[in-house]
Amino acid sequence: MPTDDVEMIRDLLRAFRKKRIEPEWDRLNVPDADRYGALWRELTQLGVTSFGLPAAAGGVELDARSRCDILLELGAASPALAFGLVGHVTALSLLAEASGGALPPLVAAAAPEARFALVGSVLDRAPGEGFRVVSNGETTLSGTLRAGLAYPDWLVVPAWEGERPRLCALRADDAGVRFSGKPSSHGLGLVPFGDLSLEHYAMRPEHVLAWPDSGRAANEADGLVTALLAGMAGELADRSMRYALERYQGGKMIHEHDAVQELTGPIELARRTLRTLAIAALSEERPGDGGTAALAVDLVRQCGLDAVQTLGGYGYMEDYRVERYLRDANTLETHWVHAAARRRAIARARFAEMAR
Amino acid sequence: MTTLTEVQETRAPAAAPERGLPEPLPSAGAPAVQATRGSAAGTIEPLQLRHELREFDRFPVARLLEAARPDLHAQCVATMARARDYAERHLVGQVERWDEVASQDHDFVPWTAIDAGLPYRFLSMSIPSIFGGGNTGALASALFAEEIATADAGVSVIYGAHGLAIAIAAASLDMAMVSRLGREISEGERQGTAVLLALAHTEPGGGSDVEDVDDFKRAHIGSRFTRVPGGYRLHARKVFISNGSIARYNIVTAASDLTRPLETMRGFVVPSDAPGFVVGRVEHKMGQRLSTAAEIICDDVFVPEKDAILMADAGRVIDTTLSVTRGPVGAISAGIIRGVLERTLRYLGQKRVRGHWLFEEQWVTLALAEMVGALQAARGLYIDASLAGEAWGLASLARPLPPWVPAFLTDNRLVRTVAAHPRVAERARAIYRERVPDALLQRLVGHASIAKFVCSDLAVRMTMKAIEILGEDANDPAWGVEKCMRDAKLTQLFEGTNQINRLHVTRGLVKRA
Ligand SMILES: Cc1cc2nc3c(=O)[nH]c(=O)nc-3n(C[C@H](O)[C@H](O)[C@H](O)COP(=O)(O)OP(=O)(O)OC[C@H]3O[C@@H](n4cnc5c(N)ncnc54)[C@H](O)[C@@H]3O)c2cc1C
C-alpha cells in the first residue's frame, strides 16, 4: 500500500477517535453490546476490519506497516476495541488458512459484515484444553473455557478431536452456546468476560476443519498484539509527558525532575521500540510463538505503572485516563499473552533445537 | 448467545480459622507454605501460610521483644489478635462484593464495617490513655494496619487516614486538642457513633510540595486563614482527602501568608456541619474503593480560637507526622502482599491443570517463594521503622512514666488538665526538640520512608505477579487478586510519592563523612 494510503488510514482512525471514542470514553468501560456494535460498524465503514479476510472474500491486502498502524492507533484510542479487532482478524486468518484460502460457504456469506472471535489465546499455535470434538454419526463440540468475547456473531473455537487439532466455526447466537459473560472488574471493561460452555453442541461437519499448524496466524497475532500494545505505550507516553509539562512541583515543572524523566523516558522508549518490533513481526514469515507480545506486554504493564506514578494522585483517578491502560495491559497479559509461560516455551523450543 | 446464570463458578472455600492452634516450629528447609492433604480424591487442597508468617507472636523478632519490652510485646499480640478477629468477622467474605458496589456507586462507604469496629475501639487506639485512648504504640499500630490491609487495604486506610489526623495534632504537641478529640472519639465508641477524622493537607497546587519541608517554602498553595475576633476565617480547597467526605472533623491546614506558607501554617479542626464547609467531588479511584477520597472546600469558614492547632514549628510538625505515618503505609503494603498471597493460595488450593495441582508446577513454587520473601522483607522494614519510632521518636515522649504505674494515677481529670495545659505543651515541645533534634528527626523520616517505598514497590510487584499466576481467572473479581493490585498502586502514591520518599531516605540517612 502506498504511503499516502497508510497516512490516510491513520488520519481516518484519529478522526474516528476524536469523534466517537473521546466523547464516550467513560462509558466504554462497561460491557455494552450496542455501543460496541455501533463503533464496529463505523470501523467496518472505514475499511479497517477486513484485512484478515482473503481477497476472494472481500478482504483488503495491507502491508505490515499499515496493519501495525491500524492496531497502534486503535490500541491508543480504545484497547478494548483493538482487542476485538485482533480476535476477529486472527479468527478469520485461521479459518481461511484451514479451509485452503476461501472460507466455508456459510461463513463466507456472513464474513464481510459479521464479527468473529477466537475463543482462547490468539497467540497459541495449537488448541488449548478447553474443547473436544466427538464424531460418531453426529459431530458435537463440548467444553468450557474462560473467554473475553467482544460481541461476536461467529465463534471460532480451537478444539481437539482425539489427538487431532481442530478449528470449529459456529454462530454465537445459537441456543446451545452459553456464555456467562459479566463485566471484568479489571481491564478491557467494554468486553464481557466469563465461561463459554458448549455441551454436545451439534456442529455442521463442514465447519469442523483441520487446525492449520503453519503458525502463520499466531505470528500475525504476535505482531498485531504488539502493535496494540505499542499504541497503548504511545498513549501512556503522550498522557504522562503532557501532564509533566504542565505540572509544577518542587520549584520547577515536574518534567525537569530527574525522577520524572526516569519514569517517562522508558515509556517513550517502549513506544518507539514496540512499533519497530511489531512491524518486524508482521513482516516475517515464521511460525509465531508470542515472544514479541510477551516482551511487549511486560513493558507496557510497567509503562502503565510509571505513567500513573508520573501523574501522582491524579494518575490514580479514572478521569485522567491513564490507569485504565494499566488495567487493560494486565488483562491482555492474563487473557492472551501469559508472558512467563511463553518465555519458558521459547526456552524449551530453543533447547530442543540446540539438542538436535 | 445466551447468558448462562446457572454456570457455577469455582469459588474459594472459606478458610478455616486456625487461631491459637499450637504448631511446632518447622525444621530447617521446610516449605514456606503448608499444604494440608486434601479430602476426597483431591478436589480441594487447602494451602496456607505457616503460623510464623501470620502470627506476630511467632515472628522471630517477637521473642526478642518479649524479653526486652514485655509491655510492647503484649500490646502487639493483643492488637493483632483483635484486628484479626474484626477482619474475620466483618471484612472477609464481604470486601470483594463491596468493592464491586463501590465501582458503580462512588459514594459507597462500608459503614457496617466501620460501625462494627467501634466496640474494638480502633478509632481511639493510638490516643494516649490519659486522653481516653488505647495508648497503642507505633509497632502495634503498624501490625494492626497489616492485619486489616490483609483483608482490605481500603478499610485499613479509613483507620489510617483517621490516625494521620491524630498524628498531626499529636506532632503539633497540642495536647489540649488531642485530649478533646480523644475524649470525643472514645465517647463516640462507647455510644456507638464513629467520630472519624481526616487530614486535609494536599491541595491542587500542592501535592509533593506539601510533603517536603524545603519544597513547601516555595509551594504554590492557596489555602489561607485570617485572624478575626474570637477566631479565624478559613478559605481552603483541598483534594484527595481520605475520609474527607465522611469525617466528623477535617483537620485543614492553611497559612496566613501565602508567600511564607511554612512559617505561617496552622491546622484547623473543621466540623462537617460548619457553615461554609463543602464536600466537593468524591473521586472515582482505581482501587481502595472502600476508602473515599474527596475534595474539601472551606468557603469562609469561621473557626473559633479553641479549634485552631498551633503549629509552632510547621517543618517539624510535617516531618514528625511523616515519621510516624509512613511506616504504617509500609505495613499496609505488607498486608496487601499477605492478602494477595493468601488469596493466591486459596485459588491454588482448588486449581488443577492437566491432571495435577497447579501449585506443583515449579514456576508457581518460585513465584510463591518470591511473594513469601517479599512479605518478610516488607515486614522487616516496617517493623524496623516502627521500632525506630518507638525508641527515638515522638512515641518515646508518650511514655513519660514507666508501664508499671497504675492507670488510675494517670487517668484522671487533674492529670488530663495538667497535660493539656498550654505551658505543658510548650515544655513538651522544648523537650521534644531536645530529645529529637532536627537531624534525628530526618533520620526517623528516612527509616519510615524506606519502609514506605520499598514495601509499596514490593506490593505492586507481588500483586502483578499474582495476576500472572491466576491468569485468566484473575479477571474474576471473586478471587480478589486483581483488587489487591488496584489497591496496591495507591501505596506508591500517597504519604508522598515513592520518588519523594526516596529523596527523604538519602536526605536523612546519608551524610558527608
Ligand atoms: C487516594 C488518595 C488519598 C489521599 N489521601 C490524602 C489525605 O487523606 N490527606 C492529604 O492531605 N492528602 C492525601 N492524598 C494526597 C497525596 O499525599 C498526594 O497525592 C501525593 O503527595 C502526591 O501529590 P500529587 O498527587 O499532587 O502529585 P505531584 O506532586 O504532582 O507529583 C507528580 C509527579 O511528580 C513527581 N515529583 C513531584 N515533585 C517532585 C520533586 N520535588 N522531585 C522529584 N519528583 C517530583 C512525583 O514523584 C510524581 O511522579 C491522597 C492521595 C490519593 C491519591
Side-chain angles (χ1 to χ4, degrees):
Chain A
M1 176 170 273
T3 320
D4 290 356
D5 291 356
V6 176
E7 271 163 19
M8 190 185 76
I9 291 180
R10 205 186 300 162
D11 291 346
L12 283 173
L13 281 171
R14 285 190 184 166
F16 166 76
R17 169 191 182 145
K18 204 159 177 198
K19 192 170 115 240
R20 296 292 280 112
I21 308 259
E22 299 287 347
E24 297 196 17
W25 171 271
D26 290 330
R27 276 161 289 169
L28 294 177
N29 200 28
V30 281
D32 187 333
D34 293 342
R35 187 161 269 123
Y36 186 91
L39 291 171
W40 183 272
R41 270 190 298 281
E42 288 192 34
L43 285 179
T44 305
Q45 280 158 17
L46 295 179
V48 297
T49 56
S50 52
F51 68 83
L53 272 178
V60 190
E61 287 268 325
L62 292 178
D63 65 7
R65 244 186 77 198
S66 311
R67 282 175 288 153
C68 170
D69 283 353
I70 289 175
L71 262 305
L72 191 140
E73 290 296 331
L74 210 53
S78 166
L81 210 52
F83 167 86
L85 182 58
V86 176
H88 171 84
V89 167
T90 311
L92 281 174
S93 328
L94 275 169
L95 269 183
E97 195 183 343
S99 44
L103 296 171
L106 256 185
V107 179
E113 307 286 302
R115 288 193 294 267
F116 287 75
L118 182 72
V119 175
S121 175
V122 291
L123 301 168
D124 287 350
R125 270 202 1 227
E129 281 190 16
F131 293 94
R132 304 225 138 244
V133 174
V134 176
S135 301
N136 44 11
E138 202 187 27
T139 305
T140 60
L141 178 62
S142 302
T144 301
L145 198 71
R146 222 158 222 290
L149 296 180
Y151 316 101
D153 304 302
W154 284 81
L155 294 172
V156 175
V157 183
W160 289 95
E161 184 172 5
E163 299 290 299
R164 282 166 308 186
R166 295 284 185 238
L167 192 67
C168 307
L170 53 141
R171 296 252 352 150
D173 57 2
D174 271 0
V177 178
R178 299 175 153 199
F179 179 53
S180 65
K182 51 180 192 173
S184 143
S185 59
H186 206 71
L188 302 177
L190 180 58
V191 178
F193 282 81
D195 288 330
L196 174 77
S197 323
L198 299 166
E199 212 175 308
H200 307 300
Y201 175 89
M203 288 294 305
R204 287 168 170 272
E206 70 272 25
H207 286 177
V208 178
L209 306 164
W211 173 272
D213 58 6
S214 70
R216 273 209 297 277
N219 183 53
E220 172 82 4
D222 197 16
L224 295 178
V225 172
T226 305
L228 188 175
L229 286 159
M232 292 170 69
E235 190 62 19
L236 289 165
D238 284 347
R239 286 186 184 277
S240 55
M241 290 178 133
R242 234 181 279 139
Y243 184 84
L245 281 169
E246 285 167 13
R247 176 79 171 153
Y248 177 92
Q249 289 294 288
K252 38 178 132 160
M253 305 310 288
I254 61 166
H255 68 88
E256 296 175 64
H257 292 300
D258 292 357
V260 171
Q261 294 158 12
E262 284 184 5
L263 288 169
T264 49
I267 313 179
E268 176 59 23
L269 267 180
R271 173 227 291 274
R272 285 193 220 160
T273 45
L274 291 185
R275 181 167 182 270
T276 312
L277 278 181
I279 293 173
L282 288 168
S283 315
E284 269 178 33
E285 286 283 331
R286 60 168 175 99
D289 56 14
T292 316
L295 206 75
V297 86
D298 281 350
L299 269 178
V300 174
R301 291 170 84 202
Q302 187 60 46
C303 290
L305 291 170
D306 290 345
V308 170
Q309 195 70 19
T310 304
L311 272 76
Y314 295 90
Y316 199 65
M317 306 307 162
E318 291 174 5
D319 340 26
Y320 280 76
R321 303 189 175 186
V322 168
E323 56 82 39
R324 195 194 283 181
Y325 287 85
L326 165 59
R327 290 185 283 117
D328 288 349
N330 275 338
T331 300
L332 281 169
E333 151 63 25
T334 56
H335 191 62
W336 277 346
V337 186
H338 316 294
R342 292 208 192 272
R343 282 194 295 268
R344 288 193 302 275
I346 286 166
R348 283 197 300 275
R350 184 76 185 123
F351 282 133
E353 238 172 64
M354 291 170 74
R356 270 202 294 273
Chain B
M1 193 161 17
T2 52
T3 298
L4 180 73
T5 39
E6 323 79 89
V7 167
Q8 285 297 312
E9 289 158 50
T10 14
R11 281 285 179 276
E18 206 203 321
R19 249 171 305 145
L21 291 181
E23 191 206 32
L25 281 169
S27 54
V33 281
Q34 174 190 1
T36 319
R37 285 290 142 196
S39 50
T43 46
I44 278 186
E45 172 128 342
L47 302 167
Q48 63 181 202
L49 295 173
R50 284 199 185 271
H51 273 81
E52 73 264 30
L53 296 178
R54 293 189 294 140
E55 314 280 349
F56 175 75
D57 210 11
R58 310 256 183 154
F59 295 178
V61 69
R63 302 282 155 92
L64 288 176
L65 193 67
E66 190 174 18
R69 287 288 304 272
D71 57 323
L72 267 193
H73 173 265
Q75 188 181 64
C76 291
V77 172
T79 306
M80 207 165 181
R82 273 168 8 132
R84 181 160 309 170
D85 183 69
Y86 166 73
E88 279 174 359
R89 283 175 200 268
H90 304 291
L91 303 179
V92 173
Q94 308 275 5
V95 289
E96 279 81 13
R97 197 169 48 82
W98 288 341
D99 180 78
E100 277 190 270
V101 174
S103 73
Q104 303 301 317
D105 172 6
H106 300 288
D107 291 321
F108 175 83
V109 177
W111 280 115
T112 43
I114 298 171
D115 290 341
L118 294 173
Y120 293 83
R121 315 209 55 192
F122 294 144
L123 293 178
S124 63
M125 70 182 208
S126 64
I127 293 166
S129 52
I130 55 166
F131 303 136
N135 225 16
T136 305
L139 181 55
S141 299
L143 291 166
F144 166 81
E146 178 195 313
E147 196 60 43
I148 304 294
T150 300
D152 184 82
V155 173
S156 178
V157 164
I158 295 177
Y159 291 111
H162 171 86
L164 175 65
I166 295 173
I168 202 163
S172 308
L173 289 165
D174 186 340
M175 287 306 140
M177 185 59 77
V178 177
S179 164
R180 260 179 56 203
L181 291 172
R183 271 178 292 132
E184 192 172 335
I185 292 165
S186 50
E187 190 51 35
E189 287 173 331
R190 268 192 291 277
Q191 311 267 337
T193 311
V195 179
L196 274 175
L197 305 185
L199 172 64
H201 186 48
T202 303
E203 42 190 271
S208 297
D209 281 359
V210 300
E211 300 270 336
D212 181 278
V213 172
D214 294 323
D215 291 336
F216 203 140
K217 290 177 189 148
R218 50 183 179 217
H220 290 181
I221 64 160
S223 298
R224 65 193 158 81
F225 69 88
T226 47
R227 225 177 206 301
V228 293
Y232 306 85
R233 289 259 158 217
L234 179 61
H235 298 262
R237 184 168 160 234
K238 301 286 182 174
V239 287
F240 306 149
I241 306 310
S242 304
N243 293 351
S245 55
I246 60 171
R248 173 70 189 118
Y249 299 108
N250 269 270
I251 298 187
V252 182
T253 55
S256 59
D257 179 351
L258 295 181
T259 62
R260 294 186 307 129
L262 191 65
E263 293 92 322
T264 62
M265 183 176 112
R266 277 188 183 207
F268 299 92
V269 180
V270 179
S272 54
D273 53 2
F277 174 83
V278 183
V279 172
R281 193 191 146 68
V282 176
E283 298 292 349
H284 302 179
K285 310 202 301 301
M286 176 187 183
Q288 298 209 8
R289 292 179 179 142
L290 301 189
S291 139
T292 54
E295 178 187 23
I296 293 302
I297 297 153
C298 293
D299 182 11
D300 199 22
V301 170
F302 174 72
V303 184
E305 185 77 55
K306 67 170 179 40
D307 291 348
I309 300 176
L310 176 68
M311 292 177 176
D313 184 343
R316 283 180 61 84
V317 171
I318 290 174
D319 276 344
T320 303
T321 308
L322 297 178
S323 76
V324 295
T325 55
R326 282 183 175 168
V329 177
I332 290 174
S333 309
I336 292 174
I337 299 173
R338 193 175 117 212
V340 82
L341 180 51
E342 289 181 354
R343 285 168 171 91
T344 305
L345 291 177
R346 214 174 300 152
Y347 171 79
L348 291 171
Q350 55 80 61
K351 185 67 181 175
R352 290 181 72 79
V353 285
R354 296 177 293 277
H356 62 267
W357 296 102
L358 179 57
F359 166 62
E360 289 163 355
E361 295 200 2
Q362 192 183 54
W363 69 272
V364 178
T365 313
L366 295 170
L368 285 176
E370 232 180 279
M371 291 164 83
V372 173
L375 171 62
Q376 290 301 78
R379 261 194 195 137
L381 288 175
Y382 86 69
I383 289 177
D384 188 64
S386 308
L387 289 175
E390 298 270 7
W392 308 318
L394 186 67
S396 65
L397 287 195
R399 274 186 308 278
L401 300 172
W404 45 262
V405 175
F408 69 86
L409 284 181
T410 54
D411 195 4
N412 61 56
R413 185 183 290 235
L414 177 67
V415 174
R416 272 201 298 273
T417 314
V418 171
H421 194 278
R423 284 262 177 78
V424 176
E426 214 170 281
R427 181 74 197 117
R429 243 175 247 129
I431 295 175
Y432 179 50
R433 184 168 299 123
E434 222 167 82
R435 274 214 215 159
V436 186
D438 288 353
L440 176 55
L441 182 53
Q442 299 213 345
R443 282 160 58 196
L444 287 165
V445 174
H447 284 282
S449 304
I450 296 176
K452 197 277 184 184
F453 90 78
V454 179
C455 298
S456 57
D457 283 356
L458 284 171
V460 168
R461 259 186 41 216
M462 294 308 124
T463 53
M464 297 279 273
K465 192 169 270 303
I467 283 180
E468 290 161 24
I469 297 176
L470 267 75
E472 195 67 77
D473 290 325
N475 243 345
D476 184 345
W479 291 111
V481 163
E482 62 83 35
K483 181 179 97 62
C484 290
M485 189 271 136
R486 289 185 285 106
D487 291 351
K489 183 64 197 138
L490 181 55
T491 59
Q492 293 180 316
L493 299 166
F494 60 11
E495 289 301 298
T497 62
N498 278 7
Q499 285 65 34
I500 297 296
N501 275 264
R502 283 182 173 87
L503 297 177
H504 289 175
V505 169
T506 312
R507 181 190 73 180
L509 296 172
V510 179
K511 63 171 191 154
R512 286 205 164 86

